[in-house]
Amino acid sequence: MNEYDSDIVRTILKRHNFAFTLNINDADIVLMNTCAIRESAHEKIYGKLSRLKRIKRERELIIGLLGCMAQNLKKNLLEENSIIDVLVGPDSYRTLPELLNQALRQKKSAMEVTLSEYETYADIIPEQTNGVTAWVSIMRGCDNFCTFCVVPYTRGRERSQEPDSVITEVKQLAASGIKQVTLLGQNVNSYYANGFDFSDLILRVAEVPGIERVRFTSPHPKDFPEKLIDLVATHPKICPHIHLPLQSGNDRILQLMNRTYTGKEFSRLAESMRKRCPQLSLTTDVIVGFSSETEEEFQDTYALMENIKFNAAFTFMYSERKNTIAARHYNDDIPHNVKVDRVSRLVKLQSETSFELNKALIGKKRIVLIEGNSKKSSDHWVGRTDENIMAVFPKTRQLLSPGQLVPITILDATSLTLIGHHDTI
Ligand code: SF4
């Protein structure tokens, strides 16, 4: 979402004749789009700010902080960091050209962090650079108020973008050569606009000529619609990959987190998804060390992951966020070393599971969308299978290019990557 927002900001500023450089020595303004989801994201920004402070001592430089950290910490950030000139929250990017011009002219700091119930940036189609795949934001904000999560406070209330505006954006991306779009929202299955629910929308997106693959992230397990599972299972352009955030496998912790499902309900949902779509790749997010989580409760998460066998999982140590319900009502009382131990056990389990599932694909054929050269070798292409698993394969004499869908046979696998060869036709 932040990458997408950075593209929105770039598009707004270009419309106001700001030019961009990636070389800080050429820049009059440095903008950082920030995340507030974990403390480590904040620390990265504090580190960058202290480096920028040194540059700012030597020459004039406007420093702007955008996004969720700006929204959540507001004035505190300006007071603690005298080098910040402009602070703008995720719903206020349209004010940025004026605030930057003010900062350039008047040399005084400015802040705009009002949250909106309506802003979806529907008229702004951001420039995206990779040329093969693109994000499309279909909604902003979230009304779920999971107790650990800062998003409802930094991105505001949930609002959906009109289907016509989404389709216009997808058509424009297709015309520019984009082959795969990922529909993006904090809780995509509660999308609703103009009589369209998420299943109606994704179906329309999949019908846009030129778009070969449609993905989405993230749905909430509490209200995953049956008809969406059927679309994922049957529609040739809707990819068989669902990212379904679990967060915990223990019912008391899930209740403390306000996730509104039990471990059993989650397992049943995962099972029914796999039954209807045997090729499905299921990935997840898990938090360990949430307030008061005991070893036995952590074991429930471990057992559930062992049982479901996710294809991949993002595992995190709980990091208390300012202003959240958990920060106000619960203690962040699990020692750091216990969190580290629990997360390490999950990482090990997941890596073994991913390896086992990827190995089972050896000898099978998959279609890969080529995204570019492999980072390790320009003699190899890298792309992704339908299930969103990274695949590399050597270049052959047949002329291929990024954006092409090609068949490969899988010859080997690691926990993260499939290694194949191109099946020439
Ligand atoms: S659904 Fe996701 S974005 Fe919304 S509050 Fe829960 S964790 Fe945060």
Side-chain angles (χ1 to χ4, degrees):
M1 188 61 99
N2 263 12
E3 280 180 35
Y4 185 85
D5 275 6
S6 295
D7 291 332
I8 286 182
V9 167
R10 193 176 300 115
T11 308
I12 291 174
L13 290 176
K14 278 191 175 169
R15 281 186 190 173
H16 286 80
N17 302 321
F18 286 81
F20 280 78
T21 172
L22 291 176
N23 183 347
I24 195 162
N25 297 322
D26 298 335
D28 308 307
I29 299 170
V30 172
L31 297 176
M32 289 184 284
N33 194 6
T34 61
C35 172
I37 208 86
R38 281 183 298 280
E39 192 52 31
S40 54
H42 280 196
E43 280 159 10
K44 248 190 216 169
I45 294 298
Y46 289 127
K48 283 185 198 289
L49 281 172
S50 79
R51 285 199 294 283
L52 288 171
K53 198 174 194 169
R54 286 198 292 275
I55 301 177
K56 202 165 166 153
R57 262 193 228 120
E58 287 155 20
R59 68 178 178 92
E60 284 195 5
L61 188 67
I62 301 293
I63 295 173
L65 218 68
L66 320 177
C68 291
M69 186 177 172
Q71 186 70 43
N72 205 30
L73 302 184
K74 301 188 181 77
K75 265 204 309 241
N76 295 350
L77 263 176
L78 284 183
E79 284 159 12
E80 286 164 14
N81 292 277
S82 53
I83 64 160
I84 299 174
D85 301 285
V86 173
L87 202 67
V88 175
D91 282 349
S92 307
Y93 296 142
R94 289 180 201 271
T95 65
L96 199 51
E98 197 187 323
L99 295 184
L100 288 175
N101 280 325
Q102 251 179 50
L104 285 165
R105 279 194 311 267
Q106 297 163 6
K107 316 258 179 289
K108 64 174 202 202
S109 61
M111 177 173 87
E112 183 48 70
V113 287
T114 313
L115 283 176
S116 158
E117 286 185 23
Y118 308 103
E119 181 62 272
T120 58
Y121 300 106
D123 58 318
I124 296 168
I125 300 183
E127 292 172 18
Q128 300 191 45
T129 45
N130 119 342
V132 177
T133 64
W135 304 102
V136 175
S137 167
I138 60 163
M139 58 201 300
R140 296 179 75 85
C142 184
D143 288 349
N144 282 326
F145 290 92
C146 301
T147 57
F148 55 82
C149 182
V150 77
V151 166
Y153 309 95
T154 58
R155 291 190 167 268
R157 305 313 298 260
E158 189 176 283
R159 61 224 107 113
S160 298
Q161 194 155 323
E162 298 287 316
D164 284 350
S165 144
V166 174
I167 298 302
T168 304
E169 183 166 343
V170 174
K171 281 184 177 161
Q172 194 161 317
L173 289 166
S176 74
I178 294 290
K179 295 287 186 277
Q180 172 189 295
V181 289
T182 303
L183 305 181
L184 198 58
Q186 247 75 39
N187 182 15
V188 290
N189 39 3
S190 60
Y191 174 91
Y192 192 79
N194 270 359
F196 275 65
D197 66 13
F198 183 62
S199 304
D200 303 328
L201 181 78
I202 198 169
L203 202 51
R204 262 192 83 185
V205 169
E207 281 162 5
V208 172
I211 293 298
E212 302 292 345
R213 280 180 173 179
V214 185
R215 302 186 185 280
F216 59 93
T217 194
S218 292
H220 195 297
K222 74 177 160 71
D223 54 1
F224 202 101
E226 302 260 316
K227 60 179 180 176
L228 184 55
I229 305 180
D230 287 337
L231 281 177
V232 169
T234 56
H235 197 289
K237 290 190 177 176
I238 301 175
C239 291
H241 168 221
I242 296 175
H243 185 76
L244 196 66
L246 166 66
Q247 309 303 9
S248 168
N250 174 267
D251 293 349
R252 187 186 72 90
I253 296 294
L254 284 168
Q255 202 174 6
L256 277 187
M257 288 175 163
N258 190 29
R259 291 293 290 175
T260 68
Y261 53 83
T262 62
K264 223 181 226 147
E265 283 162 351
F266 187 99
S267 294
R268 254 188 254 129
L269 177 62
E271 207 176 299
S272 102
M273 286 172 169
R274 282 223 169 103
K275 206 181 246 167
R276 284 199 228 179
C277 180
Q279 200 201 323
L280 185 73
S281 154
L282 202 56
T283 58
T284 197
D285 298 325
V286 180
I287 297 171
V288 301
F290 187 64
S291 174
S292 72
E293 182 191 65
T294 64
E295 171 61 24
E296 288 68 37
E297 288 168 336
F298 164 73
Q299 287 290 343
D300 286 345
T301 304
Y302 190 97
L304 202 139
M305 286 183 69
E306 211 173 18
N307 202 20
I308 292 182
K309 290 188 186 297
F310 292 103
N311 295 72
F314 298 97
T315 46
F316 304 104
M317 293 186 282
Y318 174 57
S319 166
E320 188 179 84
R321 311 315 302 137
K322 198 168 175 262
N323 295 329
T324 56
I325 299 167
R328 282 181 273 136
H329 299 292
Y330 311 141
N331 292 326
D332 182 8
D333 52 4
I334 304 301
H336 183 70
N337 63 329
V338 175
K339 289 181 184 171
V340 171
D341 174 59
R342 289 180 189 170
V343 89
S344 314
R345 281 188 272 162
L346 285 194
V347 167
K348 185 168 176 289
L349 168 68
Q350 186 53 53
S351 153
E352 287 163 4
T353 311
S354 301
F355 184 46
E356 182 191 322
L357 295 176
N358 284 353
K359 254 190 344 192
L361 295 175
I362 293 175
K364 300 221 158 78
K365 292 182 186 300
R366 284 293 181 270
I367 302 291
V368 170
L369 175 63
I370 302 179
E371 291 180 13
N373 285 336
S374 151
K375 270 190 193 141
K376 287 193 185 150
S377 149
S378 56
D379 295 334
H380 287 70
W381 290 117
V382 67
R384 283 180 183 269
T385 65
D386 280 359
E387 303 102 316
N388 209 24
I389 307 171
M390 192 186 289
V392 292
F393 58 96
K395 293 181 179 175
T396 52
R397 258 178 273 156
Q398 191 180 339
L399 217 53
L400 298 175
S401 56
Q404 270 182 279
L405 286 158
V406 295
I408 67 161
T409 299
I410 295 151
L411 303 175
D412 204 355
T414 70
S415 60
L416 295 175
T417 314
L418 303 173
I419 298 109
H421 76 73
H422 174 217
D423 301 332
T424 40
I425 310 153

